[in-house]
Amino acid sequence: ITPASMTIVFLGITIGTIMTMSSSNWLMAWIGLELNMLAILPIISKPKTTRASEATTKYFLTQAIASTMMLLSSTINVWQTGSWSILELKNKFSTTIMALSLMMKMGAAPIHFWLPEVLQGTTLQTALLITTWQKIAPVTLMYMISNNIQPTILVSAGILSMIVGGLGGINQTQLRKMMAYSSINNLGWTITIMAFSPNMALMNIFTYIIMTTPIFLMMTNMSTKTLQNLSTTWTTSMTMTLSIALLMLSTSGLPPFTGFMPKMLILNELISQKLTTLATLAI
C-alpha cells in the first residue's frame, strides 16, 4: 500500500469516528460507522497471509451485521416516533436491538467471538487500532442512548463480558488473544456502569485506552507475540519487559496501579445503588 493510499485510509478512519461522535442523527452516525469500517479493511488485510484475509472477512461480516441491526433499529424507531434523532430512541424493541448492535461493534459478550480471532490474524499495530480507536464511536453512541436502554440488558451483558474476558484470557499463550480478552473484560465494566453512571463508563474506557496503547507499542517495538517471546526479552530489554508487566497489572485493575481507580469508583457506585451482589460478582 502506497503512502498516499494509507493517508486516505487513515483519514477515512478518523473522519468516520468523528462523524459518528458529532452526529445527532442516526443516518449520519450509521454513515460514519460504515466509512470507518470500510477504511480499516485494507489495513487488516495488508499482510498477504491467509490469516489476515480470514480476519478481514470475519471483521467485515460481523460489522456489516451490526450495521444492519443498527439501521433496522433506527428505522423501526422512525416508524414509531417520526424522528431520526439519536436522543429520541424511545421504542423498547429498537433500543434493545440498538444496544446489541453496538455491543457487537465493540466486541462485548455475548457477541464477542470475532474479536480474539480478528486480533490474532492481524499485526500488532492493527490490533492496537481495533482495541482502542474502533471502540470510541460505538461507546459514544451507547453513552448517548444510555438513559433509554433497560439496565437489565446492560448489566447482564456487562457481567457476561467480565466472566468471558476473565476466564478466556487464562488459557492463552498468544499475547494478542490475551489483549482481546482483556478488552472484552474491560468493556464488561464499562457496559455495567453505563446503566447507572455514563460519565464513569467513559472515564473507564478512556483510562483503558491510555493503558493499552503503550502495551501494544512496546510489544511492536520488541516484536513479541507470545508469552514465550516475552519471557526471553527479559535479558535484552529489562526496562520494557518490566513496563509491560506493570501495565498489564494495571489493566487488570490491581491496586495501587492506575487501572484500579476506575474499577474502585465503579464498585463504589454499584454499592451506592444498592447493588452489592452485583459488585461482589464484578470482583
Side-chain angles (χ1 to χ4, degrees), residues 16 19-20 26-36:
M19 191 189 287
T20 303
W26 278 120
L27 273 179
M28 287 306 289
W30 176 76
I31 289 165
L33 286 169
E34 287 297 289
L35 177 63
N36 184 291

Side-chain angles (χ1 to χ4, degrees), residues 7-175:
T7 308
I8 293 166
V9 162
F10 277 110
L11 207 60
I13 291 170
T14 312
I15 291 169
T17 302
I18 292 167
M19 191 189 287
T20 303
M21 287 172 73
S22 57
S23 62
S24 58
N25 181 299
W26 278 120
L27 273 179
M28 287 306 289
W30 176 76
I31 289 165
L33 286 169
E34 287 297 289
L35 177 63
N36 184 291
M37 177 191 75
L38 291 171
I40 202 173
L41 292 177
I43 299 175
I44 302 172
S45 61
K46 194 184 173 189
K48 297 290 177 274
T49 60
T50 43
R51 288 303 299 270
S53 306
E54 188 186 326
T56 311
T57 311
K58 282 177 180 172
Y59 186 83
F60 172 73
L61 290 173
T62 47
Q63 296 294 317
I65 292 164
S67 293
T68 310
M69 285 167 68
M70 191 177 162
L71 207 54
L72 170 73
S73 166
S74 50
T75 309
I76 291 169
N77 188 63
V78 170
W79 284 340
Q80 297 289 321
T81 62
S83 170
W84 280 104
S85 171
I86 289 175
L87 301 174
E88 290 291 317
L89 195 70
K90 304 291 184 194
N91 184 287
K92 270 190 178 180
F93 177 73
S94 295
T95 314
T96 308
I97 297 289
M98 185 62 74
L100 285 171
S101 72
L102 292 174
M103 285 173 202
M104 194 173 186
K105 277 210 166 285
M106 42 176 127
I111 326 167
H112 66 281
F113 304 102
W114 63 272
L115 188 62
E117 295 298 318
V118 169
L119 289 204
Q120 189 55 37
T122 60
T123 60
L124 286 164
Q125 295 97 317
T126 313
L128 167 64
L129 201 60
I130 294 168
T131 50
T132 55
W133 184 261
Q134 293 299 93
K135 296 223 184 322
I136 295 172
V139 166
T140 308
L141 285 176
M142 191 172 270
Y143 174 82
M144 289 164 90
I145 63 164
S146 58
N147 291 334
N148 300 327
I149 307 173
Q150 290 164 289
T152 320
I153 295 166
L154 288 175
V155 169
S156 305
I159 293 292
L160 192 61
S161 294
M162 286 182 207
I163 295 165
V164 167
L167 296 178
I170 293 170
N171 200 29
Q172 300 300 328
T173 55
Q174 296 288 335
L175 288 175

Side-chain angles (χ1 to χ4, degrees), residues 270-281:
L270 289 174
I271 292 164
S272 67
Q273 294 278 353
K274 305 284 189 293
L275 294 163
T276 316
T277 316
L278 198 60
T280 314
L281 265 173

Side-chain angles (χ1 to χ4, degrees), residues 231-275:
S231 60
T232 54
T233 52
W234 181 261
T235 50
T236 52
S237 181
M238 188 194 255
T239 315
M240 263 196 193
T241 313
L242 191 63
S243 300
I244 289 178
L246 292 174
L247 279 164
M248 280 185 168
L249 288 173
S250 185
T251 50
S252 63
L254 195 80
F257 300 109
T258 315
F260 174 65
M261 178 194 63
K263 288 184 171 58
M264 184 185 69
L265 292 170
I266 288 169
L267 289 172
N268 185 48
E269 181 65 27
L270 289 174
I271 292 164
S272 67
Q273 294 278 353
K274 305 284 189 293
L275 294 163

Side-chain angles (χ1 to χ4, degrees), residues 106 115 119 127-128 130-133 135 139 176-187 189-190 200-216 247-248 250-253 258-259 261-263:
M106 42 176 127
L115 188 62
L119 289 204
L128 167 64
I130 294 168
T131 50
T132 55
W133 184 261
K135 296 223 184 322
V139 166
R176 279 168 294 181
K177 278 196 175 178
M178 278 178 69
M179 293 307 292
Y181 283 109
S182 164
S183 171
I184 293 164
N185 178 273
N186 186 269
L187 279 171
W189 287 88
T190 306
M200 207 176 283
L202 280 192
M203 183 197 69
N204 182 57
I205 196 76
F206 283 113
T207 307
Y208 172 76
I209 287 170
I210 291 163
M211 290 186 300
T212 304
T213 307
I215 293 177
F216 272 110
L247 279 164
M248 280 185 168
S250 185
T251 50
S252 63
T258 315
M261 178 194 63
K263 288 184 171 58

